[in-house]
Amino acid sequence: MPRFPRVLLFAALMAGGADAAPVPAFSERYEVRRNGDRLGEATLSLEVDERGGRLAQRTEGTAGLARILGVRIDERSTFAWRPDGRPETREYAYDQSTSVNQRRRGARVDAGTGTIRLTDKGEVQDVPYVDGVVDRQLLTLALMQAVAAGRRGELVFRVVGRRAVEDQTWRIGAEGEVPGGGRGVRIERIRQTADGRRTVLWLDPRAPHVPLRIEQHEDDGESVEMRRLATRGAQGGGVSPSDAAPARSSTRPTGHSPSTPQAVANIAANTR
């Protein structure tokens, strides 16, 4: 991922003038697929109050190898509202478990001491605090706020990575057709290297602008996607089980592509 030495430029891009609008609580369900094969389901939920909130996602393998291995991923972002109404990470936790292994990592942001503590596979590293930082899951909430504010074009976000705080550039496009049906606001990550990796998501054009679909394409042709399952009363945004492509719960390996747990993690953890 690209680094970000241009702090002043980023501050200007992030400021954006008016304060960000608050996002109400929600809970949404998604279907997770790898190369068209159904892997599992995910739930994304947001709890908020006047001081901050908690964004959580749980992904569970329900088909193929993901089900056999008992894949389960829990990702939690605890955050505080900044004076401008935008979220800033306070604590991030990622837990991936299967019947054969477990992986954990996280981050704790302490503005008071000016440090961010990163943990990964038992290793601990402290890096300097960066104002307005978000973790890779909370980034979704920041993008939802940007769409709510009518922002378009390229925006840069400070994101906690595994080893450091990184900059990520995202381009918010116009409202258009969503693959599989419905309409959404298309957002794509802009990478500095042309390595073939591509991350695209579509947000609901209606408030609170929840994700409708997320696609992660790897340089080896691997693709993982997350599609919102229609909720009662939804109009044209979600994908109902009957509308989704026929599920294929194949258990065959795919060349040098990521393992099934990692494929689920790539999309569930919003690595992009």
Side-chain angles (χ1 to χ4, degrees):
M1 295 182 182
R3 302 296 188 263
F4 60 105
R6 304 180 299 280
V7 176
L8 293 180
L9 173 59
F10 295 161
L13 288 170
M14 288 296 293
D19 290 349
V23 178
F26 65 82
S27 181
E28 299 287 347
R29 291 174 55 244
Y30 297 84
E31 180 183 61
V32 182
R33 290 175 177 256
R34 174 191 183 190
N35 298 331
D37 296 339
R38 180 167 54 85
L39 290 182
E41 289 192 8
T43 301
L44 180 67
S45 58
L46 174 67
E47 301 174 357
V48 294
D49 59 29
E50 67 277 3
R51 292 174 296 180
R54 181 174 181 267
L55 183 64
Q57 180 169 309
R58 170 170 292 181
T59 305
E60 294 182 297
T62 60
L65 280 174
R67 181 174 182 273
I68 294 172
L69 293 172
V71 174
R72 173 170 163 172
I73 299 171
D74 286 299
E75 192 171 17
R76 300 171 299 279
S77 303
T78 304
F79 63 90
W81 297 118
R82 291 162 43 86
D84 62 5
R86 291 176 171 80
E88 180 176 279
T89 296
R90 286 294 173 262
E91 189 168 0
Y92 168 75
Y94 172 90
D95 295 294
Q96 173 188 313
S97 63
T98 71
S99 58
V100 295
N101 61 27
Q102 187 172 31
R103 298 176 61 184
R104 291 182 177 177
R105 61 177 173 270
R108 184 184 294 271
V109 179
D110 191 334
T113 61
T115 60
I116 300 175
R117 172 154 293 187
L118 306 176
T119 57
D120 186 13
K121 300 178 182 179
E123 297 182 2
V124 179
Q125 178 182 3
D126 288 338
V127 299
Y129 164 75
V130 177
D131 187 43
V133 70
V134 297
D135 58 77
R136 63 185 190 176
Q137 176 178 242
L138 194 61
L139 172 63
T140 301
L141 185 62
L143 289 169
M144 290 168 62
Q145 284 190 317
V147 170
R151 305 289 297 279
R152 294 294 185 270
E154 294 186 4
L155 299 176
V156 181
F157 298 88
R158 304 175 177 111
V159 182
V160 176
R162 296 189 183 187
R163 296 287 184 267
V165 177
E166 308 152 337
D167 68 301
Q168 292 189 11
T169 302
W170 291 79
R171 179 182 294 131
I172 303 178
E175 178 182 335
E177 295 294 325
V178 178
R183 296 184 64 80
V185 178
R186 188 180 189 276
I187 305 176
E188 181 170 3
R189 182 176 173 186
I190 307 302
R191 302 178 187 273
Q192 291 185 349
T193 57
D195 58 4
R197 298 186 68 211
R198 188 164 60 92
T199 306
V200 185
L201 67 154
W202 288 262
L203 299 187
D204 195 329
R206 302 163 302 177
H209 309 291
V210 298
L212 300 177
R213 186 181 180 108
I214 301 174
E215 295 182 356
Q216 175 74 42
H217 301 273
E218 300 296 338
D219 55 3
D220 60 359
E222 179 84 5
S223 66
V224 184
E225 62 192 57
M226 201 164 87
R227 311 174 181 178
R228 189 179 76 162
L229 295 172
T231 55
R232 183 174 300 176
Q235 299 178 357
V239 178
S240 68
S242 61
D243 293 335
R248 297 171 294 163
S249 56
S250 171
T251 59
R252 65 184 182 280
T254 312
H256 298 289
S257 299
S259 65
T260 293
Q262 187 57 48
V264 177
N266 285 347
I267 193 71
N270 220 9
T271 55
R272 299 193 250 281

